[in-house]
Amino acid sequence: MKLQRKNRLRATAVGALAVSGALLLTACGSDNNSGGSTGGNGNSSAAKNVKCDGAKGKLLASGSSAQKNAMDLWVKNYMAACTGVEINYKSSSSGDGISNFTTGTVGFAGTDSALKPDEVEASKKVCKSGQGINLPMVGGPIAIGYNLPNVDNLVLDASTTAKIFNSQIKKWNDPAIVKLNPGAKLPDSAIQSVHRSGDSGTTQNLGKYLGKAAPADWKYEAEKKWPAPGGQGANGSAGVAAQVKQVEGSIGYFELSYATSQSIPTVKVNTGAAAPVAANSENASKAIAAAKIKGTGKDLALDLDYTTKAEGAYPLVLVTYEVVCDSGNKADSLGNVKSFLGYTASDEGQKILSENGYAPIPTEINTKVRETIAGLK
């Protein structure tokens, strides 16, 4: 019986990975090249309004796999319009992307966290007359999925979520959860929390949310490695989702695509707004719209408001940046960078995000992204 269950878990995890690879916000850590491959809904139409002027040859880029499926579509549609250009985006991790950028091996990099001061300093060796800057390009919700038969609309707030993942709330009928879910049939059974076992940008963004929205209950630094005691580790978001899908009484966090592909119910967040907020692209965009630009000069790094109480704003979000040189770009890549990123930030490029489950960057912020791209040197 133990062997059968182990095999079922392995099969479930493999299936989850296969399905999620065709959807949005793939977990950080994959290693795939995007050279015109399909993704999302498989739309193969060429970009209609892209400016190909100055673009030619090959452009290498790498980094965050959270944006992989959006990048697949962007690359395919762009290359269909600009036939003399080859865009090769290697989906690996934010850390790899930044490392490749600061060593000058890629024209731009994708990262789920804005450049740190030491990374900006390192970028000046590559950006001879400038430095690396952050351009927000892709957003999306991180869902909290759970497995509780007969409980369809579980509501949690930041405090209860922190206490669950910190092993302070251990049963589903804990008074704090009952208070948030009047009338729900919450069982008198143990909570099995599941987290990422390896370094993860998803973990880091969850930590940012809990640290800001529930500082009294989550005192850990927002790092990529899971910090709290207890719980069970699983490999990647696919592994976390597989465990939640398989084990009754479990709860975990992963990009929304994993919940959607496996029909895992997701938590609605009580933010203090009039109604609890569901995890979906539209609600994530509303939360990103509340962000403030904290970068200086041409840098557009965002300060996300994880404590927002705006109606319908889902606060547990992830934003992926494209990192470029504000000036001092290599002559053989500048035209390609400006042309390609100009397309991804365009109305057409951002529409692809909403059509494939991502959260587009709000117009006010994206207008500044476009202006910055146009002025790259």
Side-chain angles (χ1 to χ4, degrees):
M1 292 300 291
K2 290 184 179 179
L3 180 59
Q4 290 177 338
R5 184 174 185 274
K6 182 177 181 181
N7 289 337
R8 285 199 304 271
L9 283 172
R10 183 183 294 116
T12 304
V14 171
L17 182 60
V19 173
S20 62
L23 295 168
L24 70 140
L25 288 173
T26 309
C28 294
S30 65
D31 187 14
N32 299 306
N33 290 330
S34 176
S37 59
T38 60
N41 64 7
N43 177 18
S44 60
S45 62
K48 296 180 176 62
N49 299 309
V50 62
K51 296 180 180 179
C52 303
D53 298 342
K56 60 182 179 180
K58 181 181 292 188
L59 173 63
L60 298 179
S62 68
S64 166
S65 57
Q67 64 177 355
K68 178 187 182 300
N69 295 293
M71 194 61 70
D72 284 348
L73 284 168
W74 282 333
V75 167
K76 179 178 58 180
N77 294 351
Y78 176 86
M79 287 174 57
C82 301
T83 55
V85 187
E86 179 185 347
I87 309 294
N88 190 313
Y89 180 83
K90 184 178 181 181
S91 170
S92 53
S93 70
S94 298
D96 285 347
I98 292 172
S99 176
N100 291 335
F101 180 77
T102 55
T103 55
T105 59
V106 295
F108 73 89
T111 175
D112 301 333
S113 297
L115 292 171
K116 296 178 180 178
D118 62 320
E119 293 167 340
V120 173
E121 192 62 32
S123 74
K124 294 178 181 179
K125 297 178 182 179
V126 176
C127 309
K128 298 298 184 181
S129 58
Q131 65 182 42
I133 57 172
N134 304 280
L135 302 177
M137 197 68 69
V138 182
I142 298 173
I144 300 174
Y146 64 96
N147 183 338
L148 278 182
N150 303 317
V151 180
D152 297 325
N153 293 291
L154 184 68
V155 176
L156 297 176
D157 58 16
S159 176
T160 56
T161 301
K163 290 177 180 178
I164 287 171
F165 284 111
N166 199 22
S167 300
Q168 291 176 298
I169 291 180
K170 299 182 178 181
K171 286 202 170 185
W172 281 110
N173 64 348
D174 185 278
I177 302 177
V178 171
K179 183 178 180 180
L180 290 166
N181 296 271
K185 298 179 180 179
L186 295 166
D188 181 22
S189 59
I191 297 174
Q192 174 62 66
S193 65
V194 188
H195 57 262
R196 293 279 291 268
S197 57
D199 289 358
S200 162
T202 312
T203 294
Q204 186 174 39
N205 280 277
L206 174 67
K208 290 177 181 179
Y209 162 68
L210 294 177
K212 293 290 187 180
D217 305 303
W218 193 262
K219 299 182 181 297
Y220 308 101
E221 292 294 324
E223 300 292 346
K224 294 181 179 179
K225 186 175 182 61
W226 181 255
Q232 180 176 344
N235 185 24
S237 287
V240 175
Q243 283 290 91
V244 173
K245 180 72 172 179
Q246 181 74 19
V247 180
E248 187 173 323
S250 60
I251 187 170
Y253 60 94
F254 30 78
E255 292 79 12
L256 182 60
S257 62
Y258 293 92
T260 302
S261 65
Q262 297 191 62
S263 299
I264 298 173
T266 59
V267 165
K268 292 183 178 180
V269 178
N270 183 334
T271 64
V277 186
N280 60 46
S281 298
E282 180 182 358
N283 293 344
S285 285
K286 291 178 182 178
I288 297 171
K292 305 295 183 183
I293 294 174
K294 65 179 180 179
T296 58
K298 295 182 179 180
D299 185 81
L300 299 177
L302 300 180
D303 185 10
L304 294 169
D305 183 5
Y306 294 107
T307 62
T308 179
K309 296 182 181 180
E311 297 300 326
Y314 184 80
L316 182 45
V317 293
L318 179 150
V319 171
T320 295
Y321 300 93
E322 312 308 337
V323 175
V324 297
C325 294
D326 57 357
S327 66
N329 287 277
K330 293 180 180 178
D332 60 355
S333 64
L334 176 59
N336 292 352
V337 169
K338 292 179 69 172
S339 176
F340 179 67
L341 294 185
Y343 163 61
T344 66
S346 69
D347 288 340
E348 186 178 352
Q350 290 291 297
K351 185 179 179 182
I352 285 176
L353 299 181
S354 59
E355 291 175 347
N356 289 274
Y358 290 93
I361 301 301
T363 301
E364 182 178 352
I365 297 172
N366 193 46
T367 297
K368 296 180 180 179
V369 172
R370 296 180 193 178
E371 293 172 351
T372 303
I373 293 170
L376 296 178
K377 299 176 182 180

